[in-house]
Amino acid sequence: AQSVSQHNHHVILSEAASLELGCNYSYGGTVNLFWYVQYPGQHLQLLLKYFSGDPLVKGIKGFEAEFIKSKFSFNLRKPSVQWSDTAEYFCAVNAGAGNNRKLIWGLGTSLAVNP
Amino acid sequence: DAGITQSPRYKITETGRQVTLMCHQTWSHSYMFWYRQDLGHGLRLIYYSAAADITDKGEVPDGYVVSRSKTENFPLTLESATRSQTSVYFCASSGDTQYFGPGTRLTVL
């Protein structure tokens, strides 16, 4: 069965530290890839997405992600986190690249940034 | 305003009662989805719809019913609420990207 794995369940960082959250998926075909963020008490918001082209994708709030097809990975990065980045981060994959718009979700990574 | 809305935002009900959660989107997206979010389980898909009058089960459909008579609306009904259905429910709609509503926090006593 297709799956998405987020390796870090809980991450604690200090402000200005660099962030990398891992995401791996299991599907051998074409994929669309997404990262969503959920701030405390809020709904999920799109951070960035990859459909095709440049595998280094830039999103909102200084986040970026790199698609490495050979590693089935789509890791999220930010060079310097802020306290306001404290949130839950979800990686999601649309296997088959859009056929039914269904997403396979990782379980999320909880990020706490200490001021 | 364009977007996706859910109502009610908060609901407390009792075991055995019928509850309907509403979802409305103004983008004319074909696809709509219902998820529940619980600690330790992430997001789980309940039902989804590819277009008006076309719905399909997701990962956890038992105890839920959906309908979609109009493209913009996708209500979710709990026919006889149980305590295990206490959760936060999110509706989403999709063109090539899923966008989420603000959620409904449901408590079943």
Side-chain angles (χ1 to χ4, degrees):
Chain A
Q2 298 152 7
S3 64
V4 174
S5 176
Q6 294 183 237
H7 315 296
N8 318 99
H9 298 294
H10 300 281
V11 174
I12 301 173
L13 295 173
S14 297
E15 276 193 318
S18 64
L19 171 71
E20 181 160 2
L21 301 182
C23 174
N24 286 87
Y25 62 92
S26 63
Y27 181 72
T30 304
V31 291
N32 293 339
L33 300 158
F34 304 83
W35 275 98
Y36 286 83
V37 61
Q38 185 177 29
Y39 298 104
Q42 295 189 24
H43 62 288
L44 278 80
Q45 302 171 46
L46 181 70
L47 262 183
L48 48 78
K49 61 186 178 183
Y50 172 81
F51 288 174
S52 64
D54 188 344
L56 185 61
V57 180
K58 295 194 183 298
I60 62 171
K61 305 188 181 188
F63 286 91
E64 64 179 30
E66 184 175 13
F67 171 48
I68 303 179
K69 189 174 182 179
S70 60
K71 294 185 178 180
F72 300 92
S73 71
F74 190 54
N75 292 354
L76 181 71
R77 300 194 291 248
K78 186 171 184 178
S80 177
V81 295
Q82 301 173 318
W83 177 78
S84 58
D85 293 324
T86 293
E88 190 92 12
Y89 292 82
F90 293 92
C91 179
V93 174
N94 176 227
N99 286 338
N100 60 14
R101 307 295 193 268
K102 283 172 61 179
L103 295 179
I104 303 164
W105 293 87
L107 288 179
T109 296
S110 174
L111 171 66
V113 179
N114 295 322
Chain B
D1 290 340
I4 182 166
T5 57
Q6 293 183 237
S7 61
R9 294 293 313 280
Y10 302 90
K11 177 73 176 179
I12 299 174
T13 191
E14 295 177 335
T15 301
R17 292 191 179 269
Q18 184 179 82
V19 177
T20 296
L21 310 184
M22 304 301 293
C23 179
H24 176 78
Q25 54 107 352
T26 60
W27 289 304
S28 300
H29 286 158
S30 293
Y31 280 84
M32 295 187 75
F33 304 83
W34 274 107
Y35 294 93
R36 60 179 291 174
Q37 185 177 33
D38 306 284
L39 275 175
H41 292 280
L43 282 169
R44 292 184 288 177
L45 182 64
I46 304 170
Y47 269 95
Y48 68 103
S49 168
D53 298 322
I54 301 175
T55 62
D56 207 349
K57 295 179 180 179
E59 185 184 351
V60 288
D62 293 344
Y64 303 95
V65 174
V66 293
S67 62
R68 194 159 175 216
S69 58
K70 293 183 178 181
T71 300
E72 61 267 30
N73 296 325
F74 191 38
L76 175 74
T77 298
L78 288 66
E79 293 187 298
S80 178
T82 65
R83 289 180 182 170
S84 65
Q85 292 177 310
T86 292
S87 186
V88 180
Y89 291 86
F90 288 103
C91 177
S93 72
S94 180
D96 60 9
T97 301
Q98 285 191 23
Y99 293 97
F100 285 78
T104 295
R105 184 174 294 275
L106 176 68
T107 301
V108 183
L109 301 176

